[in-house]
Amino acid sequence: MRTLGFDNGDQMPILGLGTWKAEPNDVYAAVKAAIGMGYRHIDCSPLYGNEPEIGQALAECFDEGIVQREDMWITSKLWNDSHAPDDVQPALERTLAALRLDYLDLYLIHWPIAFNKGVAFPESGADYIALDELPISETWEGMEGAHRMGLCRHLGVSNFSLVKTKSLLDTADVKPEVNQIELHPYLQQPELVDFCQSRGVHVTAYSSLGSLDRPDELKGEAEPVLLDDPTVGAIADRLGARPAQVLLAWAIGRNIAVIPKSVNPTRMDQNLAAVDALLSHEDMEAITALDRGRRYVAGDFFTWGGSPYTLANIWDE
Ligand code: A2P
């Protein structure tokens, strides 16, 4: 498996299993099947509501000797209601207990957005805390504390714009080493990717297949379906590959990690095989020409009803 390397010598497998939208009763079997077929990287979050089932699958794989803990890369994320520095370590400990682990390989700030403690999802403007009141630099001190305690080996962020990534790099003692962002041919974010990669911050793509299974309230009208893109389809047909494999190979070809979600073993296997697919320069360029700045996870659900957050201040665009 190709990997992305870290300063301390650790290696993150460039393809992992995404678990957003994987139902708790599906994810247990999916994680066991994934590990059985060679996946060594699982991407999690408490928000996905399935960490206990992932933890059970991991524990069984370790107990049965199918894989060793040190050969797995497990990522999880800090939810928006635990941004206060003193809340970070307890939140990470809850995730570790659910996943039945002693440490994470990577812990990310899930969004540059803060809620009051205990708010899973805001119902009114009063549930939010503006970043002026609770800046990312303070949350990062909590992240660094958890890192010092050995609860996670690496720290990172998710959904961070170029402006926010830069400002965190300027102040952090422990450097963010990953930015997990929405990234696919319709949303390529070349400046952000170039900046991160030039500063030693790995990029992980989420929604690299277009997240067609996300909830209806997160969908716009007449959205373009990435997996049905004719250019991607023509390349796939010519190579005898699946459109999903072409999408993943394109990202991997740019040294971007991918975490496609699937709970179907046939599709999980297809996605894993994409690591070995190589696209020609011409095919890479043809896909790069598809950029249209189209977010599937726009973040507008954080901007309603008196929220201090706007699309402009989330994405700094
Ligand atoms: P399923 O879980 O039934 O396999 P993303 O990773 O962009 O969020 O996309 C996840 C969606 O893509 C899910 O609906 C998932 O369905 C589907 N999917 C995952 N792998 C493939 C594949 N190889 N071919 C087609 N669809 C896929």
Side-chain angles (χ1 to χ4, degrees):
M1 167 75 77
R2 254 181 80 180
T3 57
L4 296 176
F6 289 78
D7 289 347
N8 72 346
D10 285 353
Q11 303 284 327
M12 177 171 78
I14 200 156
L15 181 137
L17 182 71
T19 62
W20 176 39
K21 312 175 258 74
E23 297 296 329
N25 48 342
D26 293 331
V27 81
Y28 162 79
V31 169
K32 287 202 89 173
I35 292 174
M37 67 179 76
Y39 279 76
R40 292 292 178 266
H41 170 176
I42 315 281
D43 183 81
C44 314
S45 163
L47 190 75
Y48 306 159
N50 52 17
E51 286 191 328
E53 291 74 16
I54 296 170
Q56 187 185 341
L58 290 173
E60 288 178 20
C61 288
F62 300 148
D63 288 349
E64 291 163 18
I66 295 167
V67 71
Q68 310 279 311
R69 168 67 187 96
E70 55 271 27
D71 294 330
M72 289 298 301
W73 182 279
I74 311 291
T75 298
S76 189
K77 312 185 187 91
L78 178 77
W79 188 237
N80 303 351
D81 71 329
S82 300
H83 274 213
D86 289 346
D87 292 340
V88 174
Q89 188 180 322
L92 174 48
E93 283 169 342
R94 284 193 297 277
T95 271
L96 288 172
L99 291 171
R100 304 199 205 175
L101 300 174
D102 300 331
Y103 70 94
L104 290 178
D105 296 277
L106 177 62
Y107 198 45
L108 309 177
I109 297 182
H110 203 151
W111 284 88
I113 289 175
F115 303 159
N116 286 320
K117 199 169 174 177
V119 174
F121 223 87
E123 289 176 4
S124 78
D127 288 334
Y128 289 90
I129 308 173
L131 288 188
D132 294 346
E133 281 174 62
L134 179 46
I136 292 296
S137 55
E138 289 184 21
T139 305
W140 197 254
E141 285 172 18
M143 298 285 283
E144 289 174 333
H147 181 261
R148 266 195 305 276
M149 298 281 295
L151 300 178
C152 52
R153 292 182 63 93
H154 301 274
L155 297 179
V157 294
S158 181
N159 296 300
F160 270 45
S161 67
L162 198 156
V163 170
K164 292 188 179 75
T165 309
K166 202 177 219 170
S167 120
L168 180 56
L169 278 168
D170 285 346
T171 57
D173 285 333
V174 179
K175 181 181 133 181
E177 293 180 285
V178 170
N179 190 4
Q180 184 181 123
I181 55 174
E182 179 180 342
L183 193 136
H184 44 71
Y186 292 169
L187 182 72
Q188 298 185 22
Q189 313 202 58
E191 280 179 34
L192 176 56
V193 172
D194 287 351
F195 174 76
C196 287
Q197 292 183 334
S198 72
R199 297 288 296 269
V201 178
H202 294 305
V203 175
T204 297
Y206 75 75
S207 296
S208 46
L209 304 179
S211 285
L212 205 54
D213 58 341
R214 68 201 187 288
D216 285 343
E217 57 270 26
L218 299 194
K219 289 186 178 168
E221 274 179 32
E223 283 187 346
V225 176
L226 187 59
L227 280 166
D228 292 345
D229 183 90
T231 302
V232 173
I235 294 171
D237 286 348
R238 182 159 39 74
L239 299 178
R242 300 280 178 165
Q245 294 176 312
V246 171
L247 292 169
L248 298 172
W250 171 80
I252 292 169
R254 302 171 75 213
N255 286 321
I256 293 170
V258 289
I259 44 167
K261 173 266 175 183
S262 181
V263 291
N264 173 298
T266 305
R267 291 192 282 275
M268 283 192 269
D269 198 39
Q270 289 170 4
N271 297 344
L272 186 61
V275 175
D276 298 320
L278 254 190
L279 297 180
S280 67
H281 180 69
E282 289 71 27
D283 288 344
M284 290 290 289
E285 292 292 297
I287 298 172
T288 299
L290 299 175
D291 198 4
R292 54 182 83 173
R294 181 68 161 87
R295 283 186 195 280
Y296 287 121
V297 184
D300 45 353
F301 40 87
F302 291 134
T303 65
W304 296 321
S307 166
Y309 295 92
T310 61
L311 291 183
N313 70 25
I314 294 172
W315 303 119
D316 298 305
E317 285 169 353

